[in-house]
Amino acid sequence: MAMTAAATKQFIQGGEWASIAVELRPVKDRTGTGNIQPFYCSRTFRFFPDDTFECGVINYADAGGKVPLVRIVIKGHNVWQGDHPVAPGAQSLDYIADIAYEVTPLIQGFADAINKAPTNGLNLWEVNVMQDIKGKAFPAFGLFDGQIYVDYDLVYTCNDLLFMGSKHVDGRAFDTPENRPTNLQIPLMRHTKD
């Protein structure tokens, strides 16, 4: 039986949802060539009763997750937009990163690469040193000054698993309502935290 939006909100709270394995997501490179590149990552999500969320992403250089490049932690508010047609009970959900967008380089090569781009209002990037880029220009992630990042996504629950949207095969981000996903990504499993 399909869950209502209210039941889905309640179900996803409590504990942490985490990737089952390293995920592969297609992304357009940021150099303007339009080439699609693999983005290997693992994700965690936590949802809270006040409609806030925390999403953690570790991006890896390899499919096996042996070489972590960067940790990203996004914190903000959820805006529920109603039913999504991908499956009965699926909900359109906007993630608004209006609390924090934290970036921590995990390897020197990544820090060196992002230090080559202009960083107005940011310090020199160092390994294991987090900076909050919320509202700041960050060309490596396609963000401009004053922008609050929004991910126009979806959520769906089935058999105690949490599904979100699968990235578009052409690498488009979920950066507009028109780019909201139309398919499901591999699920996340719930882990209870002590």
Side-chain angles (χ1 to χ4, degrees), residues 109-188:
F110 185 87
D112 292 343
I114 59 178
N115 276 326
K116 292 179 182 176
T119 56
N120 293 338
L122 296 171
N123 296 322
L124 192 66
W125 290 95
E126 299 177 49
V127 173
N128 294 320
V129 176
M130 182 276 294
Q131 293 191 64
D132 190 345
I133 64 169
K134 182 187 80 157
K136 297 177 181 162
F138 195 66
F141 289 11
L143 301 174
F144 55 86
D145 196 40
Q147 177 184 8
I148 298 297
Y149 177 78
V150 179
D151 210 20
Y152 299 90
D153 205 339
L154 66 90
V155 294
Y156 174 68
T157 60
C158 182
N159 297 328
D160 294 326
L161 297 171
L162 174 64
F163 295 83
M164 294 180 189
S166 180
K167 289 294 184 188
H168 302 290
V169 295
D170 63 4
R172 276 179 295 138
F174 302 159
D175 57 352
T176 66
E178 296 76 27
N179 283 344
R180 192 179 301 277
T182 56
N183 293 291
L184 298 174
Q185 175 73 354
I186 63 171
L188 304 174

Side-chain angles (χ1 to χ4, degrees), residues 77-97:
H77 289 84
N78 299 317
V79 177
W80 296 79
Q81 299 290 357
D83 294 340
H84 189 288
V86 71
Q91 299 293 318
S92 295
L93 181 62
D94 300 346
Y95 296 102
I96 303 173

Side-chain angles (χ1 to χ4, degrees), residues 89-112:
Q91 299 293 318
S92 295
L93 181 62
D94 300 346
Y95 296 102
I96 303 173
D98 57 353
I99 297 174
Y101 195 135
E102 302 169 350
V103 177
T104 307
L106 301 175
I107 193 169
Q108 190 62 51
F110 185 87
D112 292 343

